[in-house]
Amino acid sequence: MITAAAQAQNFDQYFEDNTLRLDYIFAGDHSSQHIYVDELNKTPHWAGRRHKLAELPLEGNGQIIVKDKATGQIIYKHSFSTLFQEWLNEEEATQTQKSFENCFQIPFPKEPVTVNVKLFNNRREVMTEYTHTVDPNDALIAHKGFKETTPYKVMLNNGKPEDCIDVVFVAEGYTKDEMDIFYKDVERGMNSIFNHSGFKDNKDKFNIIAVAAESKESGVSIPQKKDWKTTAVSSHFNTFYSARYLTTLHLKELNNLLAGIPYEHIIILANTEQYGGGGIYNSYTLTTAHHKSFEPVVAHEFGHSFVGLADEYFYDDEFEPTYPKDIEPWEPNITTLVDFDSKWKTMLPANTKIPTTPTKKPEDIYTKVGVYEGAGYSSKGVYRPVEECRMKINEAPDFCPVCASAVENIISFYTK
């Protein structure tokens, strides 16, 4: 049995209580991808886990593996997904090349380390990787967050940052005079998330901070309406030309705003009534605070960014699948049945048929666990756990039992 003291000693052996922010440029097109180091930053304190340092809760679409340079021992791992990888599946990626900013946090090493960054394709194969050395004494590692910190308000405090999961809500499109509205929106977002199964019994494991990042203009950019705003993190709708896909490509700008604030996970609230949002695993959630569906959508998107849950909805039109049918997805709430033993098989009631025939009984559609065809944008060959879930429709009252279990597992990974 590994004791808490032994875990802390392992952290202290390799790391100091500061954060190394790794800024990369991921660039290329459908046929060729590249990883470039952009900038290294040192910020105060380390809010992340100090145990299970060389483990991953989920595979993700990319990974960072940190090794002690002297011994070659793996001392930290991190997994993630990116907009760049999503874009590679777009038709535009077959016609042009683009670059995307990406920022990742690791504990600040005491001695030189090698950092390996891998990006996977939708067959879970490494499509590109890059390894570089980081010397903690490098004079060109920028020190951010030591002088001026963005104003913030602690909304929920359950302990030291290293003992809790630290989530920041960031204001986007709120002017200085609208910050009281922002704080109320954060309260609504918090309440929605903690009203969902998996979160409601674990509220005491979270710290929540509201970051009052001021925008020069109220609202966010809507390119299809030729309406461009000057806002805190330069978000906009029409990502990949999808009307409701709201994201920011300016991840350095976002993370610079957070320098000096303890954070592991980011929720950006957009001051608009326009419907939309997005959630990227271990990157950020971005959603609109003043649309009537705000409460279910913020929980849905946080399911993506924090838990790594997949979308369970699907389209009838056939197109190039996001999830190949002969590969088991890494997301915990969908399956192609290639390796169903690794998913929710043990949660199936006795004698459940696979695939499971939908019943549409009101008492069953949100809670009866089965293997229902249609998920991950594909109507055939990809399966979801229940007929209707928060990860499928906004009308669902809660996460299904499988998604709630995934929430509990990820919380346990970070806190136990």
Side-chain angles (χ1 to χ4, degrees):
M1 179 178 179
I2 300 176
T3 65
Q7 291 171 342
Q9 186 178 12
N10 184 55
F11 178 90
D12 293 337
Q13 179 181 357
Y14 295 105
F15 302 107
E16 62 180 63
D17 184 27
N18 286 303
T19 296
L20 175 62
R21 200 184 89 201
L22 304 164
D23 294 352
Y24 296 105
I25 299 297
F26 296 164
D29 56 24
H30 183 75
S31 60
S32 178
Q33 303 84 38
H34 307 279
I35 298 170
Y36 303 99
V37 176
D38 181 25
E39 188 178 21
L40 304 179
N41 299 279
K42 185 177 184 178
T43 60
H45 312 304
W46 170 247
R49 67 188 191 274
R50 299 185 181 220
H51 63 291
K52 301 178 183 176
L53 296 174
E55 300 177 33
L56 291 174
L58 295 170
E59 182 178 327
N61 289 323
Q63 293 178 10
I64 292 176
I65 300 175
V66 182
K67 294 182 179 180
D68 176 61
K69 187 175 182 181
T71 64
Q73 181 177 344
I74 295 175
I75 58 176
Y76 189 76
K77 285 184 177 181
H78 177 71
S79 57
F80 59 87
S81 296
T82 69
L83 266 179
F84 173 63
Q85 289 158 291
E86 286 187 36
W87 176 76
L88 292 176
N89 294 316
E90 298 291 317
E91 183 180 354
E92 184 184 32
T94 67
Q95 302 169 357
T96 189
Q97 295 186 332
K98 280 191 172 183
S99 64
F100 289 73
E101 296 179 357
N102 290 273
C103 302
F104 306 102
Q105 297 190 119
I106 66 171
F108 199 90
K110 292 182 175 180
E111 302 293 338
V113 296
T114 59
V115 181
N116 174 256
V117 187
K118 291 184 173 72
L119 300 180
F120 305 115
N121 60 22
N122 62 359
R123 299 193 62 81
R124 296 172 68 171
E125 302 164 334
V126 176
M127 60 182 177
T128 189
E129 63 180 310
Y130 180 71
T131 300
H132 63 105
T133 297
V134 176
D135 183 344
N137 296 313
D138 185 346
L140 294 182
I141 295 178
H143 288 221
K144 293 189 184 296
F146 287 90
K147 295 181 179 179
E148 185 175 344
T149 302
T150 306
Y152 66 89
K153 180 178 180 181
V154 177
M155 309 294 287
L156 180 66
N157 183 10
N158 281 308
K160 297 179 180 178
E162 59 265 31
D163 296 329
C164 297
I165 298 168
D166 303 283
V167 180
V168 288
F169 281 76
V170 181
E172 167 66 341
Y174 295 82
T175 63
K176 182 178 181 179
D177 295 337
E178 294 175 313
M179 284 305 159
D180 286 343
I181 298 173
F182 167 65
Y183 292 129
K184 291 177 182 177
D185 292 339
V186 173
E187 287 278 3
R188 292 167 55 223
M190 285 173 48
N191 291 338
S192 174
I193 290 170
F194 290 123
N195 280 335
H196 281 72
S197 296
F199 287 105
K200 64 179 62 174
D201 294 330
N202 289 290
K203 185 176 180 179
D204 62 340
K205 295 180 174 64
F206 286 82
N207 291 332
I208 306 292
I209 292 177
V211 181
E214 292 181 15
S215 294
K216 292 183 179 180
E217 295 180 89
S218 181
V220 295
S221 298
I222 308 175
Q224 70 185 45
K225 296 182 179 179
K226 301 187 185 319
D227 184 9
W228 290 92
K229 306 280 189 181
T230 303
T231 57
V233 298
S234 305
S235 70
H236 64 77
F237 286 91
N238 303 114
T239 302
F240 308 154
Y241 301 97
S242 172
R244 69 182 188 183
Y245 201 7
L246 173 65
T247 67
T248 176
L249 303 178
H250 298 261
L251 298 194
K252 291 182 65 175
E253 195 172 358
L254 168 63
N255 283 270
N256 284 344
L257 286 170
L258 300 175
I261 299 172
Y263 72 100
E264 298 169 82
H265 301 278
I266 302 170
I267 299 175
I268 306 167
L269 297 188
N271 180 24
T272 177
E273 296 179 355
Q274 184 93 355
Y275 180 72
I280 306 162
Y281 176 54
N282 274 343
S283 184
Y284 63 81
T285 279
L286 206 171
T287 189
T288 59
H290 298 145
H291 187 272
K292 63 181 180 181
S293 297
F294 167 59
E295 281 84 358
V297 170
V298 70
H300 172 100
E301 301 298 352
F302 198 53
H304 288 313
S305 70
F306 174 64
V307 192
L309 297 174
D311 283 318
E312 295 179 14
Y313 54 82
F314 55 90
Y315 305 104
D316 292 329
D317 294 337
E318 289 298 322
F319 58 100
E320 184 175 351
T322 301
Y323 300 97
K325 307 305 187 294
D326 59 339
I327 302 293
E328 184 65 32
W330 59 265
E331 293 92 334
N333 63 320
I334 62 173
T335 182
T336 55
L337 299 178
V338 171
D339 183 17
F340 187 47
D341 287 349
S342 67
K343 296 302 174 70
W344 61 91
K345 188 174 182 179
T346 58
M347 297 178 68
L348 294 179
N351 302 317
T352 299
K353 291 182 179 181
I354 302 177
T356 307
T357 303
T359 64
K360 297 301 181 184
K361 292 182 180 179
E363 65 271 24
D364 290 339
I365 61 173
Y366 301 121
T367 58
K368 185 178 179 180
V369 177
V371 185
Y372 301 91
E373 191 165 30
Y377 322 117
S378 296
S379 60
K380 301 292 183 183
V382 187
Y383 303 85
R384 64 191 189 277
V386 299
E387 292 181 60
E388 305 293 356
C389 171
R390 168 65 69 238
M391 297 310 296
K392 184 172 181 284
I393 59 171
N394 290 336
E395 292 75 20
D398 201 352
F399 289 122
C400 73
V402 171
C403 289
S405 176
V407 172
E408 292 172 351
N409 288 340
I410 208 84
I411 292 173
S412 177
F413 177 85
Y414 284 122
T415 60
K416 293 183 180 179

